[in-house]
C-alpha cells in the first residue's frame, strides 16, 4: 500500500512538471513574450522629425523691381531680396518666418517695406527694399536674414551705385545737332533749287 502511494505521488509530480513545460515554464515564457511585444510597440510609436521641413540653410539673391537678377543696386530705386529656406536636400521649405535686418552704418536711408515675411510653397520669402538717392557715387548696407526662432542666418552686403543721369542731356544735344543738320540740308536744297530756276 505504501508503494502505491509513493508511485501515485511520483506520477502527480511528473504530470505537474509536464504541464509547466507545456505552459512555457510556469508562465515566464508568456510574460517575456508580452514584454517583447510591448517593447516593439513602443519603438513603432516613437515620434521622428521630418527632415524635409527643417531649414538647414538660406539662399539669398538680389533682383530688380521686375524680379530680374542683378548684381548691384542703383540709387533712387526699389530692389527685391529673395530669400529661399532650404532643407538638407536643398529643397524649399514652406511656411517659415524669415526676418530681415538692415545695418545702415553710412546712414544712406535704405529701408525695407517689412521686416518679416513667410516663405511660400517654394520656400521663398521676398523683401522689398527702398533705396534713396545717394549723395555720393556709391554706398553699401549690410543685410542679415534669419529663420525666426533658429540660428540659421545669412549676411549679405548690398552694394549701391549712383545712377548716371546725363543720358537725357546727351539725347537732347544729339537731337539739337540732328535738327541743325536737317536745317542746313534744307537750306542747301533750297539754294540749289533757286540756282536751277535762275539758270
Amino acid at each position: 500500500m505504501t508503494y502505491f502511494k509513493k508511485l501515485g505521488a511520483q506520477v502527480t509530480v511528473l504530470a505537474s512538471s509536464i504541464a509547466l513545460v507545456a505552459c512555457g515554464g510556469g508562465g515566464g515564457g508568456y510574460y517575456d513574450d508580452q514584454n517583447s511585444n510591448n517593447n516593439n510597440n513602443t519603438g513603432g510609436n516613437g515620434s521622428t522629425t521630418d527632415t524635409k521641413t527643417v531649414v538647414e540653410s538660406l539662399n539669398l539673391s538680389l533682383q530688380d523691381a521686375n524680379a530680374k537678377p542683378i548684381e548691384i543696386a542703383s540709387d533712387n530705386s526699389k530692389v527685391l531680396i529673395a530669400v529661399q529656406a532650404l532643407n538638407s536636400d536643398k529643397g524649399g521649405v514652406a511656411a517659415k518666418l524669415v526676418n530681415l535686418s538692415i545695418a545702415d552704418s553710412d546712414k544712406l536711408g535704405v529701408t525695407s517695406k517689412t521686416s518679416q515675411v513667410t516663405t511660400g510653397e517654394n520656400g521663398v520669402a521676398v523683401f522689398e527694399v527702398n533705396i534713396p538717392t545717394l549723395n555720393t557715387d556709391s554706398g553699401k548696407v549690410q543685410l542679415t536674414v534669419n529663420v525666426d526662432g533658429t540660428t540659421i542666418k545669412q549676411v549679405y552686403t548690398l552694394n549701391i551705385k549712383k545712377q548716371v543721369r546725363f543720358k537725357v542731356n546727351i539725347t537732347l544735344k544729339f537731337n539739337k545737332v540732328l535738327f541743325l543738320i536737317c536745317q542746313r540740308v534744307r537750306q542747301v536744297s533750297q539754294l540749289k533749287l533757286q540756282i536751277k530756276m535762275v539758270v
Side-chain angles (χ1 to χ4, degrees):
M1 187 69 178
T2 303
Y3 172 76
F4 285 110
K5 286 183 179 180
K6 290 182 178 180
L7 181 61
Q10 291 176 356
V11 171
T12 301
V13 172
L14 179 62
S16 298
S17 299
I18 294 173
L20 288 173
V21 172
C23 293
Y30 173 78
Y31 285 112
D32 288 343
D33 184 62
Q34 185 180 30
N35 291 335
S36 177
N37 288 337
N38 288 339
N39 290 336
N40 290 336
N41 289 338
T42 302
N45 293 331
S47 60
T48 57
T49 302
D50 185 2
T51 57
K52 295 188 181 300
T53 62
V54 177
V55 180
E56 294 288 341
S57 61
L58 296 173
N59 183 38
L60 188 150
S61 63
L62 177 64
Q63 303 173 351
D64 63 14
N66 297 317
K68 294 181 180 180
I70 57 176
E71 294 183 0
I72 300 177
S74 298
D75 72 332
N76 192 29
S77 68
K78 291 182 180 180
V79 297
L80 303 178
I81 308 298
V83 183
Q84 187 174 28
L86 300 171
N87 57 27
S88 58
D89 296 326
K90 300 303 179 184
V93 182
K96 295 294 182 180
L97 288 174
V98 178
N99 302 316
L100 169 67
S101 62
I102 302 175
D104 188 3
S105 58
D106 294 334
K107 301 186 183 305
L108 302 178
V110 177
T111 60
S112 176
K113 186 176 181 179
T114 181
S115 61
Q116 189 177 74
V117 176
T118 304
T119 59
E121 293 182 359
N122 55 357
V124 176
V126 179
F127 296 88
E128 183 179 301
V129 175
N130 300 310
I131 303 174
T133 301
L134 296 183
N135 295 322
T136 57
D137 291 337
S138 63
K140 62 182 179 180
V141 295
Q142 182 174 285
L143 308 178
T144 302
V145 292
N146 77 290
V147 181
D148 192 58
T150 73
T151 58
I152 306 299
K153 71 175 183 178
Q154 184 173 348
V155 179
Y156 178 84
T157 300
L158 176 61
N159 293 305
I160 307 167
K161 279 193 174 182
K162 194 175 187 66
Q163 294 188 63
V164 178
R165 295 181 175 82
F166 58 80
K167 291 182 179 179
V168 176
N169 295 332
I170 292 176
T171 303
L172 290 175
K173 288 181 179 180
F174 176 78
N175 290 337
K176 186 176 181 179
V177 171
L178 185 61
F179 175 75
L180 293 174
I181 292 174
C182 291
Q183 266 193 332
R184 183 55 61 89
V185 171
R186 190 178 298 110
Q187 290 174 355
V188 172
S189 298
Q190 289 177 353
L191 181 60
K192 286 183 178 180
L193 180 60
Q194 289 176 359
I195 295 173
K196 185 175 182 180
M197 290 178 65
V198 171
V199 174

